[in-house]
């Protein structure tokens, strides 16, 4: 500001005169001053002194990054004030505590995905992990994320490594960090042209190159490229991130990368702030009237499966894939109860069930059985018929036990990738846990 400039000039004159009068030989300088002068020069040293005095007199210098930093701190405060509230049903101490941990998951994810990203130097980063969960993660899937821009063209390269399903999608995110509103373009493992050794290249650009077999549409402005790699392994794929082998790079080649500036630092801080905000208090609470039909709001009942993109063309939003069917519902059990889930998987490339907390985060799959894919289920029949028991305690080794972690409630979530033929909702029956060894006495789903 003009006031800081005028004061700075006056202080500089005074300092120069004082130093000239008092210091006649360099060896008289204190050690710290000598080091500062040797590193910064006399002009740089005087600038530091000037700014220190000006800060004590006028306050901290206003910069774009400092403003963005305080905006981020304000959003973190708003997260508690606007999201961790009774309006969203967050009232119990443990729910409040888990909400704050969810906020940390959002923050660390945003820093990972947007804190150091540059669309001119794209790279895939893991969008989710065992310690960063948000908005419906899946233990059997590895998700890769990269920021791109419509002013450039990119190439995605990789090699299949036992995936049950693999896809690459682009999503419109005009402001990096914002909640995505459905995909623009998608290629899955049945549409991608692979080489004999299972390698592939996909061009991501605004215009399809002549003779290009694998191409994804890139629209104007910022967008996100998401890679999904689904596995039906005996252990959750998210515990083995080395499984996926996919990269992204700029075409024709990368441009030079400049050091951060005040503007670019502020830009990234605002992307981080946007991600936290858009995935918490700026999202409206779940409304049964506007939620997808595949999500049941009846306790211990799972909704009828349907595709992410509905028949009439609307989408459920977020980062869901158009070639995946979903089915979900809430569970609530007393300590002595269990929920029997029986159904038939449709013919599909991948299927699993996952338990989530109220913040759409999977439970602890690194230490507990909180999910099942078809390869992990015992006793599954050739026609896809299965039986699963959801309970607080292990009902016995003969059952496919989903561990509630002792939680009274949560969400059951099914995924069916590239389903063919009819899809039906599983049947559910609440029984006494002890009765699993004898005769079950069910109560009607939905009863509190």
């Amino acid at each position: 500001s003009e006031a800081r400039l005028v004061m700075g000039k006056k202080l500089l004159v005074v300092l120069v005169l004082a130093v000239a009068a008092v210091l006649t030989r360099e060896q008289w300088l204190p050690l710290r001053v000598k080091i500062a002068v040797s590193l910064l020069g006399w002009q740089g040293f005087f600038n530091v002194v000037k700014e220190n005095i000006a800060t004590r007199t006028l306050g901290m210098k206003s910069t774009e990054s400092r403003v963005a930093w305080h905006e981020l701190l304000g959003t973190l405060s708003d997260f508690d004030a606007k999201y961790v509230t009774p309006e969203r049903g967050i009232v119990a101490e443990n729910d409040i505590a888990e909400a704050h941990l969810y906020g940390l998951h959002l923050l660390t994810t945003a820093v990972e995905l947007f804190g150091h990203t540059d669309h001119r130097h794209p790279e895939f980063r893991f969008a989710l992990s065992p310690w960063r969960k948000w908005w419906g993660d899946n233990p059997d899937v590895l998700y890769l994320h990269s920021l791109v821009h419509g002013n450039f063209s990119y190439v995605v390269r990789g090699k299949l490594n036992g995936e049950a399903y693999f896809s690459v999608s682009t999503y419109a995110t005009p402001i990096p960090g914002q909640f995505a509103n459905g995909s623009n373009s998608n290629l899955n493992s049945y549409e991608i042209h692979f080489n004999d050794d299972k390698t592939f290249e996909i061009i991501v650009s605004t215009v399809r190159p002549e003779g290009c077999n694998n191409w994804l549409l890139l629209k104007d402005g910022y967008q996100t490229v998401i890679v999904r790699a689904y596995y039906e392994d005996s252990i959750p794929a998210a515990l083995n991130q080395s499984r996926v082998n996919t990269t992204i790079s700029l075409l024709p080649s990368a441009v030079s990368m400049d050091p951060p500036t005040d503007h670019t630092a502020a830009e990234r801080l605002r992307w981080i702030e946007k991600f936290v905000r858009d995935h918490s208090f700026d999202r409206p609470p779940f409304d049964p009237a506007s939620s997808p039909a595949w999500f049941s709001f009846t306790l211990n009942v799972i909704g009828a499966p349907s595709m992410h993109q509905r028949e009439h063309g609307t989408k459920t939003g977020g980062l869901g894939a158009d070639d995946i069917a979903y089915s979900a519902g809430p569970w609530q059990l007393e300590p002595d109860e269990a929920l029997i889930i029986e159904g038939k998987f449709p013919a599909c490339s991948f299927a699993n069930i996952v338990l989530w907390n109220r913040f759409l985060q999977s439970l602890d799959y690194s230490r507990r059985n909180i999910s099942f894919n078809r390869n992990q289920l015992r006793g599954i029949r050739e026609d896809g018929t299965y039986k699963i028991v959801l309970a607080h305690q292990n009902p016995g080794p003969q059952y496919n036990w989903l561990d509630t972690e002792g939680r009274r409630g949560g969400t059951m979530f099914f995924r069916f990738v590239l389903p063919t033929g009819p899809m039906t909702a599983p049947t559910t029956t609440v029984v006494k846990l002890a009765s699993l060894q004898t005769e079950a006495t069910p109560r009607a789903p939905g009863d509190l």
Side-chain angles (χ1 to χ4, degrees):
S1 67
E2 186 175 349
R4 294 178 72 93
L5 184 62
V6 172
M7 175 170 283
K9 290 181 178 179
K10 293 180 179 179
L11 289 173
L12 185 59
V13 172
V14 173
L15 285 170
V16 170
L17 293 175
V19 170
V22 177
L23 304 177
T24 58
R25 297 178 63 185
E26 186 178 345
Q27 58 265 31
W28 291 2
L29 293 173
L31 180 59
R32 291 180 63 184
V33 175
K34 289 180 66 175
I35 293 175
V37 171
S38 67
L39 293 175
L40 305 174
W42 279 107
Q43 183 63 50
F45 171 71
F46 284 133
N47 284 341
V48 172
V49 174
K50 176 191 69 176
E51 286 298 326
N52 268 282
I53 297 174
T55 296
R56 295 186 182 186
T57 305
L58 302 175
M60 298 291 286
K61 178 187 291 186
S62 178
T63 67
E64 189 179 358
S65 63
R66 177 165 282 142
V67 172
W69 177 263
H70 285 282
E71 289 172 355
L72 174 59
L73 295 179
T75 292
L76 294 179
S77 179
D78 286 344
F79 178 89
D80 177 65
K82 298 179 179 181
Y83 186 75
V84 189
T85 63
E87 179 187 4
R88 294 180 182 267
I90 306 174
V91 292
E93 287 186 2
N94 286 349
D95 288 340
I96 293 172
E98 194 162 42
H100 289 138
L101 293 178
Y102 170 61
L104 288 182
H105 281 243
L106 291 180
L107 179 61
T108 55
T109 297
V111 172
E112 174 70 14
L113 300 185
F114 303 105
H116 308 284
T117 191
D118 189 328
H119 62 273
R120 300 168 301 169
H121 296 266
E123 62 177 327
F124 281 127
R125 294 172 179 263
F126 286 100
L128 298 136
S129 74
W131 49 91
R132 286 190 293 104
K133 302 177 180 181
W134 54 278
W135 217 252
D137 66 293
N138 189 335
D140 291 317
V141 184
L142 294 174
Y143 299 91
L144 301 179
H145 176 288
S146 181
L147 184 69
V148 295
H149 196 280
N151 289 344
F152 299 87
S153 298
Y154 305 85
V155 58
V156 176
R157 296 185 176 95
K159 182 177 182 179
L160 291 184
N161 186 23
E163 288 85 355
Y165 167 86
F166 180 89
S167 72
V168 185
S169 308
T170 59
Y171 292 83
T173 50
I175 302 174
Q178 77 175 75
F179 189 82
N181 188 28
S183 65
N184 292 328
S185 186
N186 179 75
L187 282 175
N188 64 48
S189 45
Y190 292 88
E191 301 165 329
I192 298 171
H193 293 267
F194 293 94
N195 299 318
D196 292 340
D197 61 355
K198 299 183 179 181
T199 60
F200 65 89
E201 286 191 0
I202 300 173
I203 303 301
V204 186
S205 60
T206 56
V207 178
R208 184 169 193 156
E210 185 177 352
C212 178
N213 288 324
N214 299 319
W215 175 69
L216 283 175
L217 172 65
L218 192 60
K219 295 186 178 181
D220 294 335
Y222 284 111
Q223 290 176 75
T224 298
V225 176
I226 296 290
V227 171
R228 291 178 177 81
Y230 283 68
Y231 304 88
E232 289 190 277
D233 293 342
S234 58
I235 63 171
L239 298 177
N240 182 18
Q241 293 184 340
S242 62
R243 282 295 301 273
V244 67
N245 178 23
T246 308
T247 63
I248 185 171
S249 56
L250 194 69
L251 286 177
S253 60
V255 297
S256 60
M257 189 168 183
D258 300 322
T261 64
D262 181 40
H263 173 71
T264 59
E267 188 176 52
R268 283 154 178 76
L269 285 167
R270 290 194 170 104
W271 294 347
I272 293 170
E273 186 270 343
K274 181 67 173 173
F275 183 87
V276 173
R277 172 186 294 272
D278 266 29
H279 292 81
S280 57
F281 57 85
D282 269 4
R283 297 297 302 169
F286 279 116
D287 178 7
S290 60
S291 295
W294 48 259
F295 196 101
S296 165
F297 283 87
T298 303
L299 286 175
N300 301 316
V301 171
I302 299 169
S306 63
M307 301 299 290
H308 174 68
Q309 183 171 1
R310 299 173 184 170
E311 293 181 359
H312 52 79
T314 60
K315 300 183 178 182
T316 55
L319 295 174
D322 294 341
D323 45 16
I324 300 178
Y326 301 107
S327 176
W331 54 268
Q332 182 173 297
L333 297 172
E334 297 300 325
D336 63 343
E337 292 182 327
L339 182 68
I340 298 176
I341 306 168
E342 297 178 280
K344 180 179 179 180
F345 289 120
C348 56
S349 298
F350 170 94
N352 80 341
I353 179 175
V354 181
L355 298 184
W356 289 343
N357 65 12
R358 67 184 303 150
F359 306 108
L360 307 185
Q361 296 174 289
S362 66
L363 305 190
D364 184 6
Y365 54 80
S366 64
R367 300 176 182 85
R368 297 173 181 264
N369 292 325
I370 60 88
S371 67
F372 280 117
N373 60 50
R374 290 175 298 184
N375 188 49
Q376 294 167 334
L377 282 171
R378 296 186 303 273
I380 186 171
R381 297 177 181 175
E382 291 185 3
D383 65 352
T385 303
Y386 62 85
K387 181 177 180 179
I388 297 170
V389 175
L390 173 65
H392 303 303
Q393 301 176 37
N394 191 342
Q398 70 272 35
Y399 295 104
N400 292 303
W401 173 43
L402 278 178
D403 187 348
T404 67
E405 293 185 346
R407 299 168 180 263
R408 186 165 183 258
T411 297
M412 305 168 284
F413 196 91
F414 279 91
R415 284 176 173 90
F416 310 110
V417 178
L418 293 175
T420 58
M423 297 183 292
T424 58
T427 62
T428 52
T429 306
V430 177
V431 301
K432 293 297 183 181
L433 179 62
S435 71
L436 290 176
Q437 305 299 326
T438 57
E439 184 178 350
T441 304
R443 66 174 169 86
D447 291 349
L448 293 175

PDB file of all heavy atoms in Angstrom, residues 88 242 263:
ATOM      1  N   ARG A  88     -28.464 -32.103  10.405  1.00  0.00           N
ATOM      2  CA  ARG A  88     -28.054 -33.276   9.632  1.00  0.00           C
ATOM      3  C   ARG A  88     -28.076 -34.547  10.473  1.00  0.00           C
ATOM      4  O   ARG A  88     -27.531 -35.568  10.071  1.00  0.00           O
ATOM      5  CB  ARG A  88     -26.669 -33.051   9.036  1.00  0.00           C
ATOM      6  CG  ARG A  88     -26.652 -31.935   7.989  1.00  0.00           C
ATOM      7  CD  ARG A  88     -25.275 -31.722   7.412  1.00  0.00           C
ATOM      8  NE  ARG A  88     -25.265 -30.634   6.446  1.00  0.00           N
ATOM      9  CZ  ARG A  88     -25.427 -30.775   5.125  1.00  0.00           C
ATOM     10  NH1 ARG A  88     -25.608 -31.987   4.627  1.00  0.00           N
ATOM     11  NH2 ARG A  88     -25.405 -29.736   4.315  1.00  0.00           N
ATOM     12  N   SER A 242      -0.258 -51.000  -5.771  1.00  0.00           N
ATOM     13  CA  SER A 242       0.667 -51.265  -6.878  1.00  0.00           C
ATOM     14  C   SER A 242       0.007 -52.057  -8.003  1.00  0.00           C
ATOM     15  O   SER A 242       0.607 -52.228  -9.072  1.00  0.00           O
ATOM     16  CB  SER A 242       1.902 -52.016  -6.370  1.00  0.00           C
ATOM     17  OG  SER A 242       1.548 -53.282  -5.835  1.00  0.00           O
ATOM     18  N   HIS A 263      -0.161 -15.917  -6.853  1.00  0.00           N
ATOM     19  CA  HIS A 263      -1.433 -16.251  -7.491  1.00  0.00           C
ATOM     20  C   HIS A 263      -1.664 -17.757  -7.559  1.00  0.00           C
ATOM     21  O   HIS A 263      -2.761 -18.234  -7.231  1.00  0.00           O
ATOM     22  CB  HIS A 263      -1.479 -15.664  -8.900  1.00  0.00           C
ATOM     23  CG  HIS A 263      -2.689 -16.094  -9.680  1.00  0.00           C
ATOM     24  ND1 HIS A 263      -3.957 -15.637  -9.394  1.00  0.00           N
ATOM     25  CD2 HIS A 263      -2.822 -16.980 -10.717  1.00  0.00           C
ATOM     26  CE1 HIS A 263      -4.817 -16.190 -10.212  1.00  0.00           C
ATOM     27  NE2 HIS A 263      -4.169 -17.007 -11.026  1.00  0.00           N
TER      28      HIS A 263
END
